[in-house]
């Protein structure tokens, strides 16, 4: 199955309104430019007005290498051009922002400043932001996964019934809205509980990070107490398996893995605080491969995150966010059992 074959179905999930200006930010080199052209045409077919803008690692390396610092200053009006779009779609043939391996080190500050100004312009809360990673060898390598596994998993996750997902997400939000207390049991003995207060649930059903398929919420930051068993934790390129995390008043207070506990003793303020609960809904993601991008969408899974949650209704604005995916024995919100033995039952 080729990615281009499922592109019409994929684009239908974006809910682009007729006449909307859609900025396509293409993170790819010239050899793949025909992919951007085909993507733009699909956007036009559903009524959007596409604007193509390419971020080629090769071009940016040459640009910043050959242009003097005095001519690397971009006026404010330059960035305002990008602010005209109603929807911004990042199409990623490789990891965004990361520069070419031969990028001139003395121009790194100028490059980072350029990207910072760009993202502050396009990340307005009034705009729809969609980021889509294409199944490519480069993306697989940068994710540290086998190419076949990475590409197969992404293609399956993208090739879903989006109308069904949107309906499922909306119905689930309606059932859980105004519910307060989350209780999670793992390996039959560890139980973690926390409060949702009056926080709002959000759905990821095709108008945000892709591939999609989850609902999520920011818990009350001080409310988490108890323990949870996590099958895998990755921190600063180190991986730990079957780790128990203990929480007291919202913060990590204990761990079965000494290195994990030490890590959270030395993070920025509030990076050790519970920040998110998510529930996976994508029926075509059926196994965990060590990639948060798809793992947290896997049907029957849940994930908690530590750190930043201000973007979706929380109050924690620290420069850290890490997701940990697991299949709970039971996840209950008030009286409603949502997941039981790794199966979505609601």
């Amino acid at each position: 199955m080729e990615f281009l074959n499922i592109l019409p179905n994929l684009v239908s999930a974006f809910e682009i309104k007729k006449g909307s200006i859609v900025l396509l930010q293409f993170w790819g080199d010239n050899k793949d430019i025909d992919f951007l052209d085909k993507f733009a045409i699909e956007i036009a077919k559903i009524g959007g007005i596409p604007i193509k803008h390419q971020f080629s690692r090769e071009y940016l390396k040459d640009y910043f290498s050959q242009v003097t610092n005095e001519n690397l200053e971009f006026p404010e009006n330059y960035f305002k051009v990008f602010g005209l779009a109603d929807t911004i779609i990042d199409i990623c043939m490789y990891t965004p922002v990361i520069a070419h391996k031969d990028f001139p080190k003395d121009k790194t500050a100028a490059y980072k400043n350029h990207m910072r100004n760009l993202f502050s312009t396009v990340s307005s809360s009034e705009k729809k932001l969609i980021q889509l990673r294409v199944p490519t060898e480069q993306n697989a390598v940068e994710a540290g996964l086998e190419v076949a596994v990475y590409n197969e998993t992404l293609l399956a996750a993208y090739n879903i019934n989006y109308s069904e997902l949107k309906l499922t997400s909306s119905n689930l939000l309606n059932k859980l809205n105004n519910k307060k207390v989350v209780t999670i049991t793992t390996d039959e003995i560890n139980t973690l509980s926390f409060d949702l207060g009056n926080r709002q649930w959000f759905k990821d059903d095709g108008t945000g990070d892709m591939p999609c398929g989850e609902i999520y919420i920011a818990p009350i930051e001080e409310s988490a107490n108890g323990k949870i068993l996590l099958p895998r934790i990755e921190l600063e390129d180190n991986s730990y398996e079957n780790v128990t995390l203990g929480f007291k008043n919202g913060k990590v207070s204990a761990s079965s893995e000494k290195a994990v506990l030490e890590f959270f003793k030395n993070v920025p303020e509030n990076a050790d605080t519970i920040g998110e609960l998510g529930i996976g809904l994508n029926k075509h993601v059926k196994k965990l491969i060590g990639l948060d991008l798809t793992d947290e969408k896997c049907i029957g899974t849940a994930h908690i995150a530590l750190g930043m949650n201000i973007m979706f209704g929380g109050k924690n604005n620290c420069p850290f966010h890490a997701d940990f995916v697991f299949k709970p024995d039971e996840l209950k919100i008030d009286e409603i059992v949502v997941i039981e033995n790794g199966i979505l039952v609601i």
Side-chain angles (χ1 to χ4, degrees):
M1 177 173 57
E2 295 291 335
F3 187 71
L4 288 174
N5 293 340
I6 66 174
L7 194 54
N9 179 45
L10 179 63
V11 167
S12 71
F14 298 161
E15 300 180 10
I16 303 295
K17 295 180 180 178
K18 182 177 175 58
S20 294
I21 298 174
V22 181
L23 174 62
L24 302 177
Q25 299 192 131
F26 183 65
W27 303 86
D29 289 318
N30 291 342
K31 64 182 179 65
D32 296 315
I33 202 69
D34 61 327
F35 183 87
L36 174 60
D37 292 343
K38 290 179 171 64
F39 205 106
I41 290 170
E42 291 299 330
I43 293 294
K45 285 180 180 178
I46 61 173
I49 311 298
I51 299 174
K52 299 185 297 180
H53 186 236
Q54 183 186 9
F55 294 94
S56 162
R57 282 179 177 170
E58 191 73 34
Y59 169 74
L60 288 171
K61 182 255 298 181
D62 291 343
Y63 188 99
F64 279 82
S65 295
Q66 298 175 33
V67 177
T68 60
N69 281 324
E70 62 182 353
N71 291 325
L72 287 175
E73 295 181 6
F74 293 80
E76 184 178 343
N77 283 344
Y78 170 86
F79 296 101
K80 287 182 178 179
V81 171
F82 300 97
L84 296 174
D86 305 300
T87 299
I88 295 93
I89 303 177
D90 283 318
I91 305 168
C92 308
M93 309 300 286
Y94 40 62
T95 305
V97 181
I98 294 178
H100 192 282
K101 62 182 178 61
D102 297 323
F103 191 90
K105 290 183 171 54
D106 62 322
K107 301 292 183 66
T108 300
Y111 176 72
K112 288 183 176 180
N113 185 60
H114 178 80
M115 289 298 169
R116 187 162 44 246
N117 288 333
L118 173 66
F119 289 134
S120 67
T121 301
V122 302
S123 61
S124 165
S125 60
E126 299 176 356
K127 299 181 186 301
K128 184 183 296 182
L129 300 173
I130 298 171
Q131 186 173 82
L132 181 147
R133 286 177 176 80
V134 181
T136 65
E137 180 178 351
Q138 189 64 35
N139 272 330
V141 169
E142 293 179 6
L145 293 169
E146 293 182 9
V147 176
V149 172
Y150 181 92
N151 289 352
E152 180 184 342
T153 302
L154 252 65
L155 282 170
Y158 283 135
N159 193 30
I160 63 173
N161 185 327
Y162 288 99
S163 296
E164 180 184 12
L165 175 64
K166 291 175 187 292
L167 180 60
T168 298
S169 302
S170 295
N171 289 341
L172 192 51
L173 260 61
N174 289 335
K175 291 178 181 179
L176 298 182
N177 193 34
N178 297 321
K179 303 301 179 184
K180 303 295 185 184
V181 180
V182 176
T183 306
I184 300 171
T185 302
T186 55
D187 70 316
E188 298 182 351
I189 58 173
N190 289 304
T191 300
L192 176 68
S193 63
F194 48 83
D195 297 335
L196 302 179
N198 295 315
R199 297 275 171 86
Q200 176 186 353
W201 283 93
F202 292 85
K203 57 180 180 175
D204 179 13
D205 61 359
T207 58
D209 197 25
M210 300 291 287
C212 61
E214 68 167 301
I215 61 171
Y216 57 99
I217 192 170
I220 302 301
E221 289 77 7
E222 303 82 8
S223 66
N225 287 285
K227 292 182 179 181
I228 186 169
L229 177 66
L230 300 170
R232 183 185 180 96
I233 286 182
E234 290 195 7
L235 299 169
E236 292 187 335
D237 299 324
N238 292 312
S239 182
Y240 309 93
E241 295 185 357
N242 297 320
V243 177
T244 300
L245 280 186
F247 289 82
K248 184 176 181 180
N249 299 330
K251 294 183 178 294
V252 174
S253 60
S255 176
S256 60
E257 177 62 57
K258 182 179 179 181
V260 170
L261 186 58
E262 286 299 313
F263 176 88
F264 284 110
K265 286 181 179 179
N266 296 285
V267 292
E269 185 178 6
N270 295 325
D272 61 345
T273 302
I274 194 163
E276 179 187 4
L277 167 69
I279 297 171
L281 301 175
N282 191 315
K283 291 182 178 180
H284 285 195
V285 182
K286 299 179 180 179
K287 61 181 180 180
L288 306 181
I289 63 171
L291 180 69
D292 285 347
L293 181 67
T294 56
D295 284 359
E296 63 186 27
K297 315 298 169 51
C298 180
I299 187 78
T301 67
H303 60 274
I304 61 169
L306 300 179
M308 187 278 297
N309 61 8
I310 199 168
M311 298 288 288
F312 48 94
K315 64 180 184 180
N316 193 346
N317 196 26
C318 78
F320 178 87
H321 183 92
D323 294 297
F324 307 122
V325 183
F326 58 98
K327 288 191 173 184
D329 289 349
E330 183 181 76
L331 190 156
K332 185 165 66 173
I333 305 179
D334 285 356
E335 75 284 359
I336 299 176
V337 177
V338 181
I339 298 175
E340 190 169 28
N341 296 322
I343 299 173
L344 187 72
V345 295
I346 189 172

